[in-house]
Amino acid sequence: FYVAASNFTSTGSTCNTTCRYLEAAPTSGTIVWTDARYAWSGNTTAPIGATARGTAIGKGYANTIAIVGQSNTPNMAGTISQAYRGPHGLSDWFLPSKDELHQLYLQREFVGGLVANYYWSSSEVDAATAWNQGLHNGGLGNDYKANTKYVRPVRAF
């Protein structure tokens, strides 16, 4: 759903410094993803800090690793995104950063399977809140991490 004009860095991901594309988890075919609502993290009162506050393209993977590192609670936005393996068994899926999620919004008609609602990004605002975006209306805001929003894992390659 995203093609960069030049390589970007997604530290820790498979492509690392030579990333060029972002893809969304598929909702058709084999081993599909079903968008569902999850709380952002198992820890909704302590800040993660700078390691989870990246908003730019290429920051989602590192943000997700920081979220899971703070609280590895199953079935939360960060852990469920990282646990997804997709149809090819890849282990580099993550919760998109604020700007990566915005690109998903811009390409929503081509991605398909998106719910007309708000989705979590991996970008933390502070101890209690994180960024989210309406993939139906483009609305950008932040909400309490304990609240549930839809999730769509992405990966860089």
Side-chain angles (χ1 to χ4, degrees):
F1 69 89
Y2 176 76
V3 179
S6 60
N7 290 349
F8 63 89
T9 298
S10 179
T11 304
S13 70
T14 305
C15 57
N16 197 21
T17 59
T18 60
C19 303
R20 195 69 179 261
Y21 310 96
L22 291 172
E23 74 173 320
T27 58
S28 63
T30 60
I31 310 183
V32 299
W33 175 263
T34 301
D35 291 355
R37 296 173 69 100
Y38 299 94
W40 193 76
S41 171
N43 186 333
T44 59
T45 58
I48 298 172
T51 57
R53 293 199 178 153
T55 59
I57 290 173
K59 298 298 182 182
Y61 187 88
N63 288 349
T64 303
I65 295 302
I67 294 166
V68 174
Q70 183 194 48
S71 175
N72 196 13
T73 306
N75 296 319
M76 299 290 167
T79 53
I80 200 81
S81 294
Q82 186 188 39
Y84 180 67
R85 293 297 179 255
H88 301 291
L90 301 173
S91 61
D92 58 351
W93 295 93
F94 56 90
L95 188 62
S97 71
K98 179 181 149 198
D99 292 353
E100 292 163 344
L101 185 60
H102 182 68
Q103 290 300 317
L104 185 62
Y105 163 72
L106 294 175
Q107 299 300 321
R108 66 195 177 279
E109 292 178 28
F110 302 105
V111 173
L114 296 166
V115 177
N117 214 305
Y118 288 87
Y119 281 70
W120 279 126
S121 83
S122 62
S123 303
E124 179 183 68
V125 175
D126 57 33
T129 63
W131 288 104
N132 65 80
Q133 179 153 18
L135 294 189
H136 60 305
N137 63 8
L140 179 65
N142 58 66
D143 200 358
Y144 292 107
K145 295 175 183 177
N147 291 340
T148 61
K149 304 265 181 261
Y150 282 90
V151 170
R152 175 69 69 93
V154 302
R155 64 180 290 273
F157 64 101

